[in-house]
Short mmCIF file of all heavy atoms in Angstrom, two decimals:
data_model
loop_
_atom_site.label_atom_id
_atom_site.label_comp_id
_atom_site.label_asym_id
_atom_site.label_seq_id
_atom_site.Cartn_x
_atom_site.Cartn_y
_atom_site.Cartn_z
N GLN A 10 57.43 134.07 195.82
CA GLN A 10 56.49 134.71 196.74
C GLN A 10 57.17 135.49 197.78
O GLN A 10 58.40 135.54 198.01
CB GLN A 10 55.54 133.65 197.24
CG GLN A 10 56.15 132.31 197.79
CD GLN A 10 55.06 131.34 198.07
OE1 GLN A 10 53.87 131.59 198.52
NE2 GLN A 10 55.30 130.03 197.74
N ASP A 11 56.27 136.03 198.68
CA ASP A 11 56.91 136.96 199.70
C ASP A 11 57.50 136.10 200.89
O ASP A 11 57.06 134.94 201.10
CB ASP A 11 55.83 137.93 200.16
CG ASP A 11 54.81 137.28 201.18
OD1 ASP A 11 53.93 136.62 200.65
OD2 ASP A 11 55.11 137.30 202.38
N SER A 13 57.05 136.54 204.73
CA SER A 13 56.50 137.20 205.90
C SER A 13 57.20 136.75 207.06
O SER A 13 57.25 135.53 207.41
CB SER A 13 54.99 136.87 205.94
OG SER A 13 54.28 137.58 204.96
N GLN A 17 52.61 132.27 209.63
CA GLN A 17 53.00 131.20 208.62
C GLN A 17 52.15 131.32 207.38
O GLN A 17 50.92 131.13 207.42
CB GLN A 17 52.61 129.78 209.23
CG GLN A 17 53.39 129.59 210.50
CD GLN A 17 54.83 129.08 210.28
OE1 GLN A 17 55.53 129.75 209.51
NE2 GLN A 17 55.24 127.99 210.74
N CYS A 18 52.84 131.64 206.32
CA CYS A 18 52.27 131.72 205.05
C CYS A 18 53.41 131.84 203.97
O CYS A 18 54.55 131.89 204.42
CB CYS A 18 51.33 132.98 204.80
SG CYS A 18 52.12 134.62 205.00
N SER A 19 53.08 131.91 202.77
CA SER A 19 54.02 132.02 201.66
C SER A 19 55.33 131.31 201.88
O SER A 19 55.25 130.08 202.08
CB SER A 19 54.31 133.54 201.30
OG SER A 19 54.11 134.40 202.41
N LEU A 42 58.01 141.05 204.38
CA LEU A 42 57.09 141.80 205.15
C LEU A 42 57.46 141.50 206.68
O LEU A 42 57.98 140.41 206.95
CB LEU A 42 55.68 141.30 204.88
CG LEU A 42 55.16 141.87 203.51
CD1 LEU A 42 55.39 140.84 202.33
CD2 LEU A 42 53.53 141.98 203.58
N ASN A 44 55.21 140.90 208.73
CA ASN A 44 54.23 139.77 209.04
C ASN A 44 53.24 139.75 207.96
O ASN A 44 53.20 140.70 207.07
CB ASN A 44 53.64 140.04 210.37
CG ASN A 44 53.13 141.55 210.56
OD1 ASN A 44 53.96 142.36 211.07
ND2 ASN A 44 52.04 141.88 209.96
N HIS A 45 52.37 138.80 207.94
CA HIS A 45 51.29 138.87 206.77
C HIS A 45 50.33 139.95 207.08
O HIS A 45 50.21 140.51 208.16
CB HIS A 45 50.64 137.38 206.64
CG HIS A 45 49.80 137.05 207.76
ND1 HIS A 45 48.70 137.59 208.27
CD2 HIS A 45 49.80 135.78 208.53
CE1 HIS A 45 48.15 136.96 209.20
NE2 HIS A 45 48.84 135.78 209.47
N THR A 46 49.50 140.25 206.09
CA THR A 46 48.68 141.46 206.12
C THR A 46 47.31 141.31 206.84
O THR A 46 46.52 142.14 206.73
CB THR A 46 48.48 141.99 204.69
OG1 THR A 46 47.85 141.04 203.86
CG2 THR A 46 49.85 142.29 204.06
N MET A 47 47.18 140.14 207.49
CA MET A 47 45.91 140.01 208.19
C MET A 47 46.10 140.54 209.68
O MET A 47 45.18 140.70 210.32
CB MET A 47 45.45 138.52 208.24
CG MET A 47 45.06 137.97 206.94
SD MET A 47 43.50 138.71 206.23
CE MET A 47 44.17 139.39 204.75
N TYR A 81 51.84 134.80 196.55
CA TYR A 81 51.67 136.17 196.79
C TYR A 81 52.88 136.88 196.42
O TYR A 81 54.00 136.67 196.98
CB TYR A 81 51.39 136.32 198.32
CG TYR A 81 51.09 137.62 198.89
CD1 TYR A 81 49.95 137.95 199.40
CD2 TYR A 81 52.11 138.61 199.00
CE1 TYR A 81 49.55 139.20 200.03
CE2 TYR A 81 51.80 139.93 199.45
CZ TYR A 81 50.47 140.18 200.00
OH TYR A 81 50.28 141.43 200.54
N ALA A 110 46.68 134.08 194.72
CA ALA A 110 46.94 134.60 196.06
C ALA A 110 46.74 136.07 196.27
O ALA A 110 47.66 136.74 196.88
CB ALA A 110 48.34 134.17 196.45
N TYR A 118 42.96 141.04 199.28
CA TYR A 118 43.89 141.30 200.51
C TYR A 118 44.18 142.77 200.50
O TYR A 118 44.29 143.35 199.52
CB TYR A 118 45.12 140.42 200.43
CG TYR A 118 44.97 138.98 200.50
CD1 TYR A 118 45.75 138.00 199.75
CD2 TYR A 118 44.03 138.37 201.45
CE1 TYR A 118 45.52 136.68 199.89
CE2 TYR A 118 43.89 137.03 201.51
CZ TYR A 118 44.59 136.23 200.77
OH TYR A 118 44.40 134.83 200.89
N PRO A 119 44.50 143.23 201.80
CA PRO A 119 44.54 144.74 201.88
C PRO A 119 45.61 145.35 200.94
O PRO A 119 45.48 146.47 200.52
CB PRO A 119 45.09 144.87 203.29
CG PRO A 119 44.67 143.65 203.97
CD PRO A 119 44.59 142.52 203.03
N HIS A 212 43.88 130.86 208.41
CA HIS A 212 44.77 131.64 207.58
C HIS A 212 45.80 130.84 207.19
O HIS A 212 46.51 129.97 208.02
CB HIS A 212 45.19 132.92 208.31
CG HIS A 212 45.96 133.83 207.38
ND1 HIS A 212 47.22 133.76 207.31
CD2 HIS A 212 45.40 134.72 206.51
CE1 HIS A 212 47.65 134.70 206.37
NE2 HIS A 212 46.55 135.24 205.92
N GLY A 213 46.45 131.01 205.95
CA GLY A 213 47.59 130.31 205.47
C GLY A 213 47.40 128.90 204.83
O GLY A 213 48.38 128.30 204.36
N THR A 214 46.15 128.46 204.98
CA THR A 214 45.91 127.07 204.46
C THR A 214 46.05 127.06 202.89
O THR A 214 46.44 125.98 202.43
CB THR A 214 44.55 126.51 204.88
OG1 THR A 214 43.60 127.51 204.63
CG2 THR A 214 44.56 126.25 206.41
N GLY A 215 45.77 128.12 202.25
CA GLY A 215 45.86 128.18 200.79
C GLY A 215 47.31 127.91 200.33
O GLY A 215 47.60 127.26 199.38
N ASP A 216 48.21 128.42 201.18
CA ASP A 216 49.65 128.38 200.79
C ASP A 216 50.16 126.90 201.09
O ASP A 216 50.99 126.37 200.45
CB ASP A 216 50.54 129.33 201.65
CG ASP A 216 50.04 130.70 201.27
OD1 ASP A 216 49.45 130.98 200.19
OD2 ASP A 216 50.41 131.65 202.10
O1 LIG B 301 48.44 133.48 202.58
C1 LIG B 301 48.48 134.41 201.59
C2 LIG B 301 49.28 135.59 202.02
C3 LIG B 301 50.70 135.67 201.72
N1 LIG B 301 51.51 136.58 202.06
C4 LIG B 301 51.00 137.66 202.68
C5 LIG B 301 49.63 137.71 203.05
C6 LIG B 301 48.75 136.70 202.70
C7 LIG B 301 47.41 136.71 203.08
O2 LIG B 301 46.85 137.56 203.70
O3 LIG B 301 49.26 138.82 203.67
C8 LIG B 301 51.95 138.83 203.11
#
Side-chain angles (χ1 to χ4, degrees):
Q10 44 191 320
D11 76 277
S13 285
Q17 300 282 50
C18 66
S19 29
L42 286 87
N44 45 264
H45 68 58
T46 63
M47 296 292 120
Y81 186 112
Y118 292 140
H212 189 264
T214 51
D216 298 344

